[in-house]
Amino acid sequence: MDDAKKIRSALISVFYKDGLESIVRKLANEGVVIYSTGGTSGFIESLGVPVISVESVTGYPSILGGRVKTLHPKVFGGILGRRSLDSDLSEMKQYGIPAIDLVIVDLYPFRATLASGASHDEVIEKIDIGGISLIRAAAKNYADVLIVPSSKHYGELSEILESGHCSTTLSQRARFAAYAFAESSGYDAAIAGYTGMKAGHNEFRGVAGKSTPLRYGENPHQEGAFFGDLNEAFEQLHGKELSYNNLLDLDAAVSLIRDFSETTFAILKHNNACGAASRPLLSDAWKAALAGDPVSAYGGVLVTNRMIDEETAAEINLLFFEIIIAPGYEKNALLLLKSKKNRIILQAKPFDYQPKQFRTVLNGVLMQDKDLKTESSADFRVVTEKGTDEEVARDLVFASKIVKHSKSNAIVLVKGEQLLGSGVGQTSRVDAVRQAIDKAAAFELDLRGAVMASDAFFPFSDSVELAHKAGVRAIIQPGGSVRDQDTIDYCNSHKLSMVFTGIRHFRH
């Protein structure tokens, strides 16, 4: 093809070396001259592949503690030089600038360093200068240069090198340039967000990764898309394409299960848990979760924090459900679950959880930190004469985790680390209590000895009175109402336990 260009030289300078070896060996086998810096140069030498140090080209060593390595006209001239312009070629020859046809570079892990809780100075040192400049330069000159801005593109690069015998087409170079500008804009947005926050000058910059079209949005008449890389969060093992609503439910399910370390199963419908239980055995956790509301479980989203075994899979397989997500599946368990054609089976992966939430409102965007606070018994402030024993405290912790992930106004009723009933999305708290009690009664679940959790304070004592008459013996809530004392007095006069956490968990 007329726009095909042979790769004769490459500059490689990366932070992460994983997946690089096969690419380096392919380039070497094709006679490509390789330039490199620092640790990358040492890595390439260790493979027995010839490499030319950038320092020997520029005549300058890496200086200022590694802050300046590639920032030199002999490097950037070789990348930005236009092969179609005689004047550029003449200047490159005059100043001894070698042409560079391929640039493989990645960026210092700024976001990972920030997420790790590192100090401000450590975060600042992870602001890449040379790497981002190389990416932009090579992407700008995609007419002549192929830029690979991240290891996530190594697979596609390998295919191009193999099929084209180290030649690239204009469309390939243009596509990789688009990858590069997306990478650099996302990186810059993260830095701008951090430095803006520090300086008190925040601006919204919406960068979320590549777009995946969805069948439709929340309803068929609405268009929908996902921006990001779902493959980082899970592997789809079976089933149809995920929908907009599926992804909302999955986010709610993953968020909920992250709060549990015990063997736990949860069933969600419309982003709310309709069943949840913790048990030593996974199959028992599943049965207890399902028993909480077997009607709503139909067509639901299932989530657990343990590998699915064959016994549990056999029980699950009796229910029609949309999605299951788990850390893994035994071989026979997976075969069982795959028996339904459209059933979506996902294997969860550890991933960098987004710490911020965004929502469009009116003519702008709302941003907030995600609600990552989870209470333990150490956070309890007992405000009643009667305290809590170990069993009650365990149920209160369980209930507080579930109510945190339920739509406000929210009430949940729990006994023996099993969700017995919930009232969610109600316009009054007392209505949420009634709904939770009615739910439990519908499935003949005994509330005697249960505990109640509320996502926000009780404005009046009527909710506590209703719960007590239904059999509730202990309550967990944030506190903060001007009528808290009325609620405390009712609990004391009826020998109920109540703890305040001081943490509200509104979810709208």
Side-chain angles (χ1 to χ4, degrees):
M1 297 178 65
D2 292 341
D3 62 2
K5 289 187 178 291
K6 183 75 173 177
I7 297 173
R8 294 184 172 84
S9 60
L11 171 62
I12 306 176
S13 181
V14 297
F15 190 86
Y16 298 107
K17 313 300 188 293
D18 293 347
L20 187 61
E21 179 178 349
S22 61
I23 292 170
V24 169
R25 292 195 184 282
K26 175 64 178 175
L27 294 172
N29 289 340
E30 292 285 342
V32 174
V33 176
I34 299 175
Y35 301 93
S36 191
T37 62
T40 309
S41 180
F43 172 79
I44 295 171
E45 285 178 346
S46 73
L47 301 177
V49 172
V51 59
I52 299 172
S53 70
V54 167
E55 291 91 335
S56 69
V57 175
T58 64
Y60 279 88
S62 172
I63 61 173
L64 305 181
R67 281 188 163 197
V68 180
K69 293 191 285 283
T70 57
L71 296 167
H72 194 279
K74 283 196 172 182
V75 174
F76 282 85
I79 295 170
L80 287 165
R82 290 160 290 189
R83 281 45 157 190
S84 59
L85 287 184
D86 289 341
S87 58
D88 280 12
L89 295 175
S90 176
E91 285 186 81
M92 291 169 70
K93 183 177 180 181
Q94 178 184 353
Y95 295 109
I97 298 173
I100 296 172
D101 306 314
L102 168 66
V103 175
I104 302 176
V105 64
D106 60 12
L107 299 170
Y108 289 163
F110 176 83
R111 279 170 282 206
T113 303
L114 180 60
S116 73
S119 69
H120 175 69
D121 287 347
E122 290 174 307
V123 171
I124 291 299
E125 281 306 310
K126 288 299 184 287
I127 296 177
D128 205 312
I129 304 300
I132 201 81
S133 301
L134 291 170
I135 286 174
R136 291 180 64 83
K140 177 177 180 176
N141 198 26
Y142 72 86
D144 297 305
V145 180
L146 179 70
I147 171 63
V148 183
S150 167
S151 60
K152 65 187 174 187
H153 303 299
Y154 284 178
E156 188 176 352
L157 172 63
S158 295
E159 291 174 8
I160 289 172
L161 296 178
E162 192 65 39
S163 62
H165 300 288
C166 278
S167 289
T168 64
T169 65
L170 181 61
S171 64
Q172 290 168 342
R173 296 190 298 275
R175 184 167 66 252
F176 273 74
Y179 296 159
F181 286 122
E183 191 76 25
S184 66
S185 65
Y187 193 77
D188 284 340
I191 295 169
Y194 172 74
T195 55
M197 177 191 68
K198 284 287 188 180
H201 178 71
N202 285 328
E203 291 184 7
F204 176 73
R205 299 173 187 273
V207 179
K210 66 180 181 181
S211 168
T212 301
L214 301 173
R215 295 196 301 275
Y216 49 80
E218 201 160 5
N219 299 292
H221 63 277
Q222 297 169 269
E223 289 188 6
F226 174 80
F227 291 86
D229 188 356
L230 290 173
N231 292 322
E232 292 179 359
F234 54 74
E235 178 184 358
Q236 183 162 352
L237 305 177
H238 185 72
K240 61 185 179 181
E241 281 184 13
L242 288 161
S243 71
Y244 182 99
N245 291 330
N246 289 157
L247 290 171
L248 289 177
D249 282 329
L250 272 173
D251 181 66
V254 171
S255 297
L256 185 150
I257 208 68
R258 283 169 66 96
D259 280 346
F260 289 88
S261 57
E262 311 87 349
T263 299
T264 301
F265 228 117
I267 307 166
L268 284 85
K269 203 74 171 288
H270 297 292
N271 310 158
N272 293 295
C274 58
S278 294
R279 294 288 185 272
L281 291 178
L282 186 63
S283 59
D284 291 340
W286 162 252
K287 291 172 187 174
L290 180 63
D293 187 348
V295 172
S296 296
Y298 184 86
V301 172
L302 317 183
V303 63
T304 184
N305 53 4
R306 296 293 187 271
M307 176 176 282
I308 302 289
D309 55 71
E310 186 175 1
E311 178 186 353
T312 305
E315 295 288 341
I316 293 170
N317 202 45
L318 300 174
L319 176 75
F320 168 75
F321 61 89
E322 283 272 341
I323 303 173
I324 184 168
I325 182 166
Y329 303 84
E330 290 183 359
K331 182 178 179 181
N332 289 339
L334 187 57
L335 288 173
L336 267 172
L337 294 174
K338 282 183 173 180
S339 61
K340 299 293 190 292
K341 178 183 176 182
N342 290 326
R343 180 181 283 167
I344 298 170
I345 304 174
L346 307 175
Q347 184 162 324
K349 298 178 182 178
F351 65 96
D352 291 333
Y353 201 62
Q354 290 284 358
K356 302 287 184 183
Q357 284 181 310
F358 302 92
R359 181 182 291 186
T360 57
V361 294
L362 301 176
N363 61 342
V365 177
L366 283 173
M367 183 275 284
Q368 67 170 353
D369 294 333
K370 278 196 172 177
D371 184 1
L372 302 178
K373 174 66 177 173
T374 303
E375 291 78 57
S376 69
S377 57
D379 299 304
F380 292 176
R381 180 166 69 90
V382 179
V383 295
T384 50
E385 294 167 0
K386 185 176 181 181
T388 61
D389 59 25
E390 186 177 338
E391 179 186 8
V392 169
R394 192 162 53 244
D395 276 351
L396 289 173
V397 169
F398 183 96
S400 70
K401 291 176 181 178
I402 300 298
V403 83
K404 167 189 165 182
H405 295 279
S406 302
K407 293 290 180 72
S408 301
N409 287 310
I411 293 289
V412 303
L413 303 173
V414 165
K415 184 168 69 173
E417 295 181 285
Q418 177 191 16
L419 176 61
L420 300 182
S422 61
V424 298
Q426 298 302 299
T427 52
S428 74
R429 196 151 300 280
V430 71
D431 282 344
V433 175
R434 289 193 185 100
Q435 185 187 56
I437 292 170
D438 290 346
K439 272 280 187 181
F443 302 109
E444 300 181 348
L445 297 171
D446 187 0
L447 290 177
R448 288 175 297 179
V451 307
M452 176 171 71
S454 176
D455 64 332
F457 65 64
F458 295 103
F460 305 99
S461 61
D462 52 357
S463 294
V464 172
E465 184 177 349
L466 273 175
H468 168 236
K469 289 177 178 177
V472 166
R473 63 172 172 168
I475 299 159
I476 183 169
Q477 60 141 318
S481 168
V482 295
R483 294 185 176 87
D484 276 347
Q485 193 57 51
D486 293 347
T487 306
I488 294 170
D489 290 343
Y490 181 90
C491 289
N492 285 335
S493 63
H494 294 85
K495 296 182 171 53
L496 301 180
S497 302
M498 185 161 65
V499 302
F500 286 0
T501 63
I503 304 294
R504 189 180 73 183
H505 290 295
F506 269 167
R507 188 163 174 257
H508 296 103

